Amino acid sequence: MEDTKQQFEHVISICRELFSKKLHDYGAAWRIMRPSSVTDQIFIKANRIRSIEVKGVALVDEGIRSEFIAIVNYGIIGLIQLELGYADKEDIDEVKALDLYDCYAKKALDLMLAKNHDYDEAWRSMRISSYTDLILMKIYRTKQIESLSGKTLVSEGVDANYMDMINYSVFGLIKLEFGE
């Protein structure tokens, strides 16, 4: 399981590097996004992955890898937005944004390690396309929870779904980076 932890940290460092570069270029403009808009942005990315998987070709010169990275980063943005609420303007600096990013990346790692212990790395036997379908299912669940204003009877909340989307994306990235 040590390999999984190291691979997770490696993949997250790739995602964080892109997040940091975009934070430099754009600032924390994403702070204006309501969580439902973040969910829709993740949907666009996951839907594109599925479209590429089904069609077998991408006409835009960005493949599945970049979309999984985007899902990780938008998932973390979603968790930040749930914690802080959305803002009317950019209201945090790069340092604060990266601190929050690191906090939620660590929580995702801790959750993955706990689940990985219980499931004995079953994710390694899954197909990347299954991660895509699971992410899409989590998006639809999240949209339903959002339409219920978070008032569920037995289900985990939006935050748990974002965490799962992050971790499924990391699994996809690990497989793309390190092979089956």
Side-chain angles (χ1 to χ4, degrees), residues 150-170:
K151 294 179 178 79
T152 61
L153 298 177
V154 295
S155 302
E156 297 175 307
V158 171
D159 58 337
N161 283 286
Y162 281 153
M163 281 289 202
D164 287 343
M165 289 181 236
I166 292 166
N167 283 333
Y168 289 135
S169 295
V170 168

Side-chain angles (χ1 to χ4, degrees), residues 49 64-72 128 132 135 169 173:
I49 293 170
I64 290 171
R65 182 180 183 272
S66 65
E67 302 298 0
F68 276 129
I69 291 170
I71 293 170
V72 169
I128 292 174
T132 306
I135 292 166
S169 295
L173 288 164

